[in-house]
Amino acid sequence: MVLKEATILVIDDDADVLTALRLLLKPLVKSVVTEKNPSNINAQIERTGFDVIILDMNFNGLVNTGNEGIFWLNEIRNERPETAVILMTAYADIDLAIRGLKEGASDFLMKPWKNEKVIETITTILEKKKSKTTQKKHLNSSLDIIGESDVMEDVFVKLKKVAPTDANVLVLGENGTGKDLIARALHDNSKRKNKPFVKVDVGALTSTLFESELFGYKKGAFTDAREDRKGRFEAANGGTLFLDEIGNISLGQQVRLLTVLQNRQVTPLGSNESIPVDIRLICATNIDPSVLADEKKFRKDLIYRINTVDIIVPPLRERGKDITELSRHFVSLYAEKYNKTPFTFDPGFISKLKKHDFPGNVRELQYVLERAVIMTDGSVLKPEDLVFSSIERSATKSKSATSLNLDDIEKNAILTVLEKNKGNVSKSAKELGITRAALYRRLDKYEL
């Protein structure tokens, strides 16, 4: 990332400092935003994603020991861990700045600063960020799987380890979580990436179609077989075969599939000759693992064949901060598609999204945001621009109303108050009867 493409946020309660840095950086970067009140940090971050935040170490309020900068550094790291933070401090607070480096700050500047040093520091950080981003995206060179939450990091670690091998993989997860993206990432980062990637929705195949689609047939094998046709196993030879909805196939289909996997060869319908196949198998299902463990519904010997490694794709409701990044991605995508000007988010917009249970997961989020982009006239997306289907809304309200879990009750109360106050943390904390710091700890706990 070059300097001219960067977005910078400067936070300091000294108006002269804000003015000086704005005048210095404005001609050099894409945008520079200044903020006097650190309580507005989260709202600013929600409204505009920043590449670098320049944060003063001392503010009036909170505490008087010089630890304000450390407190707000931790808040930024919790909300947007990928955002680089530069601390500003006087010479007397150099030890505190070093502590900030240990807690995740990218660098620090001493007041009074030299303009050349400010520019050099920002440029170095941006170059490091670009290098790290490139390394992270190397895992999947053909498409981005967006996710910064802890649960998605676990998925990425497994992907990195499993992709280069030929191990069969079972991808588990609810509808709409992106199991097909995981399957594609496994192929694109394997030794077979230049060979075919063949996907089959086996759950939709009847018994007859199951055999002809997967194993192929010879001319005259049945009434409509007017010519020889390769099956999906043969078409994927040398590459990857992705069998989606594997949990929905019958026991009879499971037996036929198991035979092929054991022998590594297929016999087309209407033929007596077997054809060797070399495929890497990836399967996916939204069926609960406990159902797959029931031998009356799924053969254990087949499970062992297809499940050398399993990857569980978490539902969107467990991915916390990923909702913000996914929203930015889809809104940008659809703004370009429908020739709309770039959008920013009202703080309550993201709060409302995070409050929704998303039974349809990422796919549902995608459709909701596409609808919002199409129907919105302005350039700021607001909570009222989000319209969920009546079925989804009823399911979410029903689950929320019947849950007596204390964490669920507390989380819903926080989301309701934040939405009411349009993301203003100070007002929300006061209404909830807790301190601002206590509210921030709960926001971190629930990844809000």
Side-chain angles (χ1 to χ4, degrees):
M1 178 184 295
V2 294
L3 192 62
K4 65 180 180 180
E5 296 174 350
T7 55
I8 312 289
L9 173 63
V10 184
I11 307 167
D12 197 304
D13 56 2
D14 188 330
D16 292 336
V17 169
L18 296 180
T19 301
L21 286 172
R22 184 174 63 249
L23 291 174
L24 170 65
L25 296 173
K26 190 173 182 180
L28 303 174
V29 302
K30 181 179 179 181
S31 69
V32 55
V33 176
T34 58
E35 175 61 62
K36 291 186 66 175
N37 187 351
S39 298
N40 294 329
I41 286 177
N42 278 355
Q44 289 282 11
I45 291 175
E46 290 284 5
R47 190 176 297 112
T48 307
F50 295 99
D51 301 304
V52 177
I53 295 177
I54 301 175
L55 173 68
D56 190 27
M57 293 289 288
N58 292 282
F59 295 90
N60 295 322
L62 192 64
V63 291
N64 298 312
T65 62
N67 285 309
E68 297 96 326
I70 299 297
F71 174 85
W72 294 114
L73 167 65
N74 289 327
E75 294 303 314
I76 294 169
R77 295 287 296 163
N78 288 334
E79 179 66 21
R80 294 290 290 273
E82 75 282 5
T83 301
V85 180
I86 300 173
L87 299 175
M88 284 194 302
T89 182
Y91 181 77
D93 292 327
I94 190 85
D95 290 340
L96 196 60
I98 292 173
R99 177 187 162 196
L101 293 177
K102 292 179 180 179
E103 298 202 19
S106 299
D107 209 334
F108 68 90
L109 295 167
M110 287 192 295
K111 296 178 181 179
W113 64 80
K114 292 183 179 180
N115 288 346
E116 297 80 3
K117 178 63 176 176
V118 174
I119 296 169
E120 177 188 345
T121 301
I122 295 174
T123 302
T124 300
I125 288 171
L126 292 173
E127 289 174 350
K128 288 181 180 179
K129 282 190 68 175
K130 182 178 180 180
S131 176
K132 287 182 179 179
T133 300
T134 301
Q135 291 174 6
K136 193 168 186 177
K137 289 185 177 180
H138 178 69
L139 172 63
N140 193 339
S141 57
S142 67
L143 51 87
D144 285 336
I145 301 177
I146 297 171
E148 295 286 344
S149 60
D150 290 342
V151 287
M152 283 305 294
E153 286 297 329
D154 291 341
V155 172
F156 294 146
V157 168
K158 254 189 179 179
L159 270 172
K160 187 175 182 180
K161 291 181 178 179
V162 176
T165 74
D166 264 348
N168 293 338
V169 180
L170 177 61
V171 186
L172 300 167
E174 297 176 7
N175 283 332
T177 51
K179 297 187 292 295
D180 53 339
L181 291 181
I182 299 296
R184 187 78 211 197
L186 286 165
H187 173 75
D188 288 346
N189 293 278
S190 72
K191 297 175 182 178
R192 299 172 180 263
K193 63 183 178 182
N194 296 321
K195 298 294 184 178
F197 175 82
V198 178
K199 176 183 176 180
V200 189
D201 184 355
V202 290
L205 299 178
T206 63
S207 180
T208 304
L209 284 176
F210 182 86
E211 292 202 36
S212 61
E213 282 293 314
L214 292 185
F215 312 140
Y217 54 80
K218 306 296 286 186
K219 180 180 178 180
F222 47 87
T223 303
D224 292 327
R226 297 184 176 89
E227 58 184 14
D228 292 354
R229 182 182 175 185
K230 288 183 178 180
R232 301 300 180 91
F233 268 89
E234 195 175 352
N237 194 39
T240 302
L241 180 64
F242 175 38
L243 302 182
D244 200 8
E245 302 302 340
I246 190 72
N248 295 330
I249 65 175
S250 68
L251 287 171
Q253 292 169 336
Q254 292 173 35
V255 172
R256 291 191 283 275
L257 179 58
L258 178 62
T259 300
V260 171
L261 295 177
Q262 286 175 331
N263 298 329
R264 290 286 171 176
Q265 56 186 20
V266 296
T267 304
L269 293 176
S271 172
N272 294 321
E273 295 183 7
S274 296
I275 302 171
V277 288
D278 170 28
I279 56 105
R280 197 260 184 95
L281 183 67
I282 301 174
C283 298
T285 182
N286 63 354
I287 298 294
D288 189 279
S290 62
V291 176
L292 295 178
D294 185 350
E295 286 195 84
K296 294 180 180 179
K297 298 179 180 179
F298 213 91
R299 296 178 61 97
K300 272 192 176 179
D301 45 4
L302 179 57
I303 281 289
Y304 290 136
R305 282 282 177 181
I306 67 176
N307 187 26
T308 304
V309 178
D310 62 49
I311 295 178
I312 301 174
V313 189
L316 185 58
R317 61 184 171 274
E318 293 179 5
R319 293 177 57 179
K321 65 189 76 171
D322 289 347
I323 292 178
T324 303
E325 288 305 306
L326 286 164
S327 297
R328 293 189 193 283
H329 169 74
F330 288 129
V331 167
S332 176
L333 181 73
Y334 291 121
E336 181 178 353
K337 178 179 179 180
Y338 297 113
N339 298 314
K340 297 247 184 172
T341 56
F343 288 95
T344 58
F345 297 155
D346 180 284
F349 181 82
I350 294 295
S351 294
K352 185 173 180 179
L353 283 173
K354 289 183 175 180
K355 188 175 181 179
H356 187 60
D357 203 34
F358 282 108
N361 292 294
V362 178
R363 186 183 298 130
E364 181 188 348
L365 173 67
Q366 182 177 351
Y367 294 150
V368 166
L369 293 174
E370 182 177 13
R371 186 187 302 126
V373 168
I374 291 172
M375 300 303 295
T376 302
D377 294 322
S379 61
V380 179
L381 289 173
K382 301 176 181 178
E384 53 266 31
D385 295 320
L386 291 170
V387 179
F388 305 108
S389 77
S390 57
I391 295 175
E392 292 162 357
R393 187 164 60 249
S394 297
T396 303
K397 286 184 177 179
S398 175
K399 182 175 181 179
S400 175
T402 57
S403 175
L404 296 178
N405 182 279
L406 288 176
D407 282 347
D408 288 342
I409 295 171
E410 183 176 61
K411 180 180 177 181
N412 288 329
I414 290 170
L415 286 167
T416 300
V417 174
L418 280 171
E419 184 177 345
K420 174 184 175 183
N421 293 311
K422 298 188 179 298
N424 188 302
V425 175
S426 297
K427 288 183 179 179
S428 299
K430 185 176 181 180
E431 186 168 338
L432 289 165
I434 58 178
T435 65
R436 189 169 62 239
L439 177 53
Y440 274 123
R441 286 194 295 272
R442 284 164 174 80
L443 292 175
D444 180 45
K445 175 183 177 181
Y446 299 119
E447 290 191 329
L448 297 176

